[in-house]
Amino acid sequence: MKRLNNPAGTSPGHTRRQALGLFSAGATLLTSPPAFAQRVDDVLTEALVLRDPDVPATGNLDGDINIVEWFDYNCPYCRKVAPEIRQVVQDDGKVRLVLKDWPILGEVSKFAARMALAAKYQDKYMPAHEALIGVSSKLTEPRVRELLDGAGLDMDRLNRDAAANASAIDKILARNHTQAVAFGFKGTPSFIVGKFRVPGILTMAEFETVIADARKAKKAN
């Protein structure tokens, strides 16, 4: 997990087993503070956390369980877990994956997030996202542009859309940040699965277990 305000270093964080243990131990239901029901502010409503109309989602958009991921394109752990999450979502078939850009690792991360979100204006957020999250080396602004161009985006339009919608994009990033901090996340990647907070990365098997437990919790409510 890449830590907030620690872009140069790697924090020991939770092991994968400990991350799952936190979930299994009660980890933290979103019905505990800071809960949706309490609505700490307007940004922490269930609607905006799970179904912000301006935040991209993939998988089964009518699925019964949401996975919400806060990520940074320059986070190596986000890159490592991305194909596993994609496979879990595909194999399950009933999961909706919400992708919350949380660029906490510097100016290039912010640039990448803004350009990816600008790509949605030409209906190409997912190709942009997959191009940026799929690399193994640290991103630079020229590399971001190269990757997006290679993913088939109209770069002239992308630049225009990024400039014309700069305020709206920055508001999305601000909402994502406020939510992540309010939920107590310390770095990327961080997740909500169903109504549980899960800080850190999990294996595919652990994600499958968490999803199953989230479904049980949903039925019990």
Side-chain angles (χ1 to χ4, degrees):
M1 172 185 283
K2 278 293 186 176
R3 291 278 171 162
L4 184 63
N5 297 326
N6 185 24
T10 302
S11 167
H14 300 295
T15 66
R16 291 182 177 186
R17 184 177 296 277
Q18 287 169 332
L20 183 59
L22 283 172
F23 172 85
S24 300
T28 320
L29 277 167
L30 294 183
T31 49
S32 300
F36 289 147
Q38 291 179 321
R39 297 189 178 181
V40 178
D41 58 33
D42 289 342
V43 176
L44 289 179
T45 64
E46 182 169 357
L48 280 179
V49 172
L50 299 182
R51 298 187 179 276
D52 187 330
D54 296 321
V55 170
T58 187
N60 185 340
L61 299 183
D62 296 317
D64 63 336
I65 291 293
N66 289 285
I67 295 179
V68 186
E69 179 186 9
W70 281 261
F71 67 92
D72 185 304
Y73 285 116
N74 253 332
C75 167
Y77 304 102
C78 299
R79 296 170 182 165
K80 182 176 181 179
V81 77
E84 297 186 355
I85 298 172
R86 183 164 55 246
Q87 190 64 51
V88 167
V89 170
Q90 179 179 319
D91 291 349
D92 183 280
K94 296 180 181 179
V95 172
R96 179 174 171 271
L97 177 61
V98 183
L99 296 167
K100 300 222 178 210
D101 292 84
W102 189 26
I104 58 175
L105 300 178
E107 291 304 312
V108 173
S109 292
K110 293 176 184 176
F111 174 76
R114 290 187 179 110
M115 295 300 276
L117 288 170
K120 70 180 184 176
Y121 294 100
Q122 52 182 291
D123 295 324
K124 289 191 175 180
Y125 175 86
M126 286 310 301
H129 173 76
E130 289 171 1
L132 296 176
I133 205 69
V135 297
S136 58
S137 58
K138 189 172 182 179
L139 293 172
T140 62
E141 289 194 15
R143 182 62 173 146
V144 169
R145 293 186 182 281
E146 179 185 10
L147 288 165
L148 295 178
D149 186 35
L153 277 82
D154 180 332
M155 296 304 293
D156 289 337
R157 177 174 176 181
L158 185 65
N159 291 331
R160 292 195 303 271
D161 287 339
N165 299 284
S167 178
I169 290 170
D170 283 346
K171 286 178 181 178
I172 295 169
L173 296 178
R175 287 199 298 276
N176 292 351
H177 176 81
T178 298
Q179 291 166 357
V181 171
F183 287 131
F185 296 142
K186 303 299 183 183
T188 54
S190 291
F191 301 90
I192 289 172
V193 181
K195 289 195 174 182
F196 289 92
R197 289 193 292 258
V198 182
I201 61 175
L202 304 178
T203 64
M204 287 180 64
E206 287 169 343
F207 268 115
E208 289 167 356
T209 298
V210 172
I211 291 166
D213 286 347
R215 286 195 171 107
K216 291 177 185 176
K218 183 178 180 180
K219 288 180 181 178
N221 291 337

